[in-house]
């Protein structure tokens, strides 16, 4: 049975190791660098008929698109017209308008008269919401409805403003020409602004948004109980193991509380709080993994044969915990500081990878930033932990064989205690390591949300698992 358990442990570690190595490699091999991505979205581009000149530019209907302002998709070349000149979007074709009546849904029909877009009269505003004069041909026009989930017409009470750059400002949010369109109705000379409804959430997405915060809220009291139990019982917090576990649990508790606020609050969270909570989540999760790395290193050191620090046992423990704290809190703080500088210093060029917290959501905006400031440090720590666990397992086995006959009863008890501690850390690492490797796999390959629902939900229940591993024991 013991041999079977060891093979199971080694096999599990092997699976985690393979995934931890292959997933980052797969990501970097299959993800194109930013310079090769489309310079603009399909909705903000127009089809081009010209061919590239020797200098790399393309000319189409009098417009010159330099290299980097056009791209190929599905066998056609499309140019980023809105990068050359401010754009607005017309819901129907150039010679059409919307026909609508109480008994007929709105649809486009040919306009027999003069289009109101020929004498564009919609007021244009600056950032101070003051009307500004623009040349007659200031805007280029894109044609066609791009609102996949429907649209609604703005009224004067909505306080929507057409800005000089072609965006619509609505409730302090700027909508480009892929998120609205303009049109006249029933031959009227008045041009109305219609804003696209955002994508709707399916039942599965709503269930996940409810399940994930619920799992974290269930974990929070178990994490709190684990921390309190170790804080109250002197035998538990009086050694490196207890102090490290309390630091690990407190980091995870902070991450879960902040992430629960973000996921439950969603639209109610202000932009400033959104950015602040994003930084807290990043730092807390990184600190959680660095403290797990410390616990792996500590048990590795015990069986490594390295010379212990000088001084009494109490002095050695104190020195080690100071060094451990500097590492486990300092490294996340360095990454946090770099992220903060990249986020808040405006003089840093846009070519640098920035976190951009709060732009689309209370987290990183781009996958490059997510990998650089979050997944990459976690991946390195997971690999280090695997290496330390594998070497410790073999050293523990050799040590047990060599000293089985010569050990005194006290020495056996010490070795048994260290062996139990190794098993506890191994369980904790397997719980966190496998879940986070699967988190990275789901991030890279995507696919239906239901495939990753179980592992993602398990990620939110780590507080319960930690409580079962470290508190629900006979000695406690």
């Amino acid at each position: 049975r013991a041999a079977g358990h060891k093979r199971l442990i080694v096999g599990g570690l092997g699976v985690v190791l393979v995934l931890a190595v292959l997933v980052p490699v797969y990501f970097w091999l299959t993800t194109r660098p930013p310079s090769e991505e489309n310079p603009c979205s399909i909705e903000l581009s127009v089809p081009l008929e010209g061919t590239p000149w020797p200098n790399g530019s393309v000319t189409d209907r009098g417009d010159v698109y330099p290299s980097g302002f056009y791209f190929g998709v599905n066998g056609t070349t499309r140019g980023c017209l809105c990068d050359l000149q401010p754009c607005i979007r017309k819901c129907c074709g150039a010679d059409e308008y919307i026909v609508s009546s109480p008994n007929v849904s709105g649809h486009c029909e040919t306009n027999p008269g003069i289009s109101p877009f020929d004498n564009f009269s919609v007021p244009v505003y600056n950032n101070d919401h003051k009307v500004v004069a623009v040349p007659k041909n200031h805007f280029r026009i894109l044609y066609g409805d791009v609102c996949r989930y429907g649209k609604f017409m703005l009224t004067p009470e909505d306080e929507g403003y057409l800005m000089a750059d072609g965006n619509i400002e609505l409730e302090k949010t700027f909508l480009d020409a892929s998120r609205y369109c303009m049109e006249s109705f029933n031959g009227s000379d008045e041009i109305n602004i219609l804003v696209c409804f955002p994508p709707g959430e399916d039942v599965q997405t709503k269930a996940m948004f409810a399940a994930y915060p619920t799992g974290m809220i269930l974990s929070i009291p178990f994490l709190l109980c684990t921390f309190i139990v170790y804080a109250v019982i002197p035998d538990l917090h009086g050694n490196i193991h207890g102090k490290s576990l309390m630091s690990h649990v407190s980091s995870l508790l902070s991450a879960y509380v902040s992430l629960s606020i973000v996921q439950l609050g969603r639209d109610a969270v202000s932009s400033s709080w959104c950015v602040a909570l994003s930084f807290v989540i990043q730092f807390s999760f990184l600190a959680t993994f660095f403290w797990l790395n410390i616990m792996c290193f500590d048990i590795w050191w015990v069986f490594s044969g390295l010379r212990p620090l000088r001084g009494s046992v109490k002095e050695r423990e104190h020195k080690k915990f100071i060094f451990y704290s500097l590492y486990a809190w300092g490294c996340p703080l360095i990454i946090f500081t770099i992220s903060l500088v990249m986020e808040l210093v405006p003089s840093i060029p846009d070519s640098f990878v920035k976190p951009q917290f709060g732009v689309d959501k209370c987290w990183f905006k781009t996958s490059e930033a997510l990998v650089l400031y979050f997944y990459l440090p976690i991946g390195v720590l997971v690999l280090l932990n695997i290496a330390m666990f594998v070497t410790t397992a073999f050293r523990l086995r050799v040590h047990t064989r060599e000293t089985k006959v010569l050990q005194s009863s006290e020495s056996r008890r010490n070795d048994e205690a260290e062996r139990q501690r190794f098993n506890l850390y191994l369980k904790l690492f397997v719980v966190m390591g496998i879940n986070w490797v699967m988190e990275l796999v789901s991030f890279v390959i995507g696919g239906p949300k239901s495939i990753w629902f179980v592992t993602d939900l398990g990620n939110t229940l780590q507080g319960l698992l930690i409580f079962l591993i470290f508190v629900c024991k006979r000695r406690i």
Side-chain angles (χ1 to χ4, degrees), residues 134-323:
V134 296
K136 180 179 180 180
N137 297 322
H138 177 74
F139 294 114
R140 299 298 294 272
I141 301 178
L142 302 173
Y143 298 98
D145 187 358
V146 292
C147 298
R148 300 177 183 177
Y149 301 94
K151 53 189 178 292
F152 63 94
M153 185 186 302
L154 293 186
T155 64
E157 290 77 17
D158 292 320
E159 296 184 355
Y161 303 94
L162 173 61
M163 312 302 287
D165 59 2
N167 291 337
I168 299 293
E169 181 183 350
L170 181 64
E171 297 179 353
K172 298 182 180 180
T173 300
F174 292 90
L175 311 173
D176 61 30
S178 67
R179 300 171 65 185
Y180 77 89
C181 63
M182 300 179 176
E183 197 51 82
S184 61
F185 282 72
N186 302 322
S188 170
D189 291 334
E190 181 182 3
I191 297 176
N192 299 279
I193 300 175
L194 297 95
V195 175
C196 302
F197 282 115
E201 295 178 352
D202 55 20
V203 175
Q204 190 178 65
T205 302
K206 291 180 179 178
M208 290 180 179
F209 270 114
Y212 295 157
T214 302
M216 286 185 287
I217 290 173
L218 288 174
S219 285
I220 288 172
F222 286 103
L223 288 171
L224 190 60
C225 287
T226 303
F227 185 88
I228 292 174
V229 168
Y230 273 75
V232 169
I233 301 177
D235 289 343
L236 296 180
H237 69 255
N239 51 40
I240 286 287
H241 161 65
K243 292 176 182 177
S244 300
L245 181 63
M246 290 173 65
S247 301
H248 173 81
V249 167
S250 63
S251 302
L252 191 57
L253 179 62
S254 172
Y256 276 5
V257 170
S258 302
L259 192 55
S260 297
I261 293 173
V262 168
Q263 293 197 352
L264 290 175
R266 299 182 68 183
D267 297 334
V269 178
S270 65
S271 58
S272 57
W273 274 104
C274 179
V275 174
L277 288 170
S278 299
F279 278 113
V280 173
I281 294 169
Q282 179 202 23
F283 175 83
S284 300
F285 272 122
L286 288 176
T288 298
F289 275 90
F290 274 99
W291 274 111
L292 179 60
N293 183 240
I294 282 294
M295 290 187 280
C296 297
F297 173 79
D298 189 61
I299 196 67
W300 173 85
W301 192 354
V302 171
F303 293 98
S304 66
L306 296 176
R307 182 181 300 176
L309 297 175
R310 295 180 179 180
S312 64
V313 174
K314 188 174 182 180
E315 290 174 343
R316 291 199 303 266
E317 294 278 295
H318 182 68
K319 290 179 182 177
K320 284 172 67 176
F321 188 69
I322 290 176
F323 289 139

Side-chain angles (χ1 to χ4, degrees), residues 44-76:
L44 297 178
S45 64
V46 294
L48 304 182
E49 297 178 357
T51 57
W53 292 92
N55 63 0
S57 63
V58 174
T59 301
D60 181 82
R61 284 163 285 199
D63 296 317
V64 179
Y65 296 84
S67 177
F69 285 77
Y70 62 88
F71 59 96
V73 59
N74 296 330
T76 63

Side-chain angles (χ1 to χ4, degrees), residues 296-454:
C296 297
F297 173 79
D298 189 61
I299 196 67
W300 173 85
W301 192 354
V302 171
F303 293 98
S304 66
L306 296 176
R307 182 181 300 176
L309 297 175
R310 295 180 179 180
S312 64
V313 174
K314 188 174 182 180
E315 290 174 343
R316 291 199 303 266
E317 294 278 295
H318 182 68
K319 290 179 182 177
K320 284 172 67 176
F321 188 69
I322 290 176
F323 289 139
Y324 288 170
S325 298
L326 289 174
Y327 168 78
W329 294 120
C331 291
L333 184 61
I334 291 173
I335 300 173
F336 168 85
T337 303
I338 294 173
S339 303
L340 190 67
V341 171
M342 297 297 292
E343 179 78 10
L344 300 181
V345 177
S347 59
I348 296 178
D350 291 336
S351 58
F352 285 69
V353 180
K354 300 182 179 182
Q356 294 180 288
F357 287 136
V359 175
D360 293 334
K361 53 188 175 181
C362 299
W363 198 225
F364 298 97
K365 180 183 178 183
T366 64
S367 58
E368 290 82 7
L370 179 59
V371 171
L372 181 62
Y373 298 111
F374 193 69
Y375 281 141
L376 181 60
I378 289 177
V380 171
L381 292 174
V382 169
L383 289 175
L384 290 174
N385 292 344
I386 291 173
M388 287 188 287
F389 268 123
V390 171
T391 55
T392 302
F394 282 109
R395 284 173 178 167
L396 182 61
R397 185 177 182 181
V398 172
H399 177 76
T400 303
R401 284 180 177 178
E402 292 177 349
T403 61
K404 188 174 183 180
V405 179
L406 301 176
Q407 280 182 324
S408 64
S409 60
E410 182 178 354
S411 179
R412 286 196 189 97
R413 283 196 298 270
N414 290 336
D415 279 357
E416 183 62 28
E418 296 299 344
R419 191 177 291 106
Q420 289 178 3
R421 186 155 69 100
F422 172 78
N423 290 334
L424 290 176
Y425 289 168
L426 180 61
K427 292 176 183 177
L428 176 62
F429 170 71
V430 170
V431 166
M432 291 199 67
I434 290 180
N435 279 333
W436 278 89
V437 167
M438 299 312 295
E439 168 84 10
L440 187 57
V441 171
S442 67
F443 164 74
V444 173
I445 69 176
K449 299 182 180 69
S450 57
I451 296 177
W452 313 108
F453 180 75
V454 174

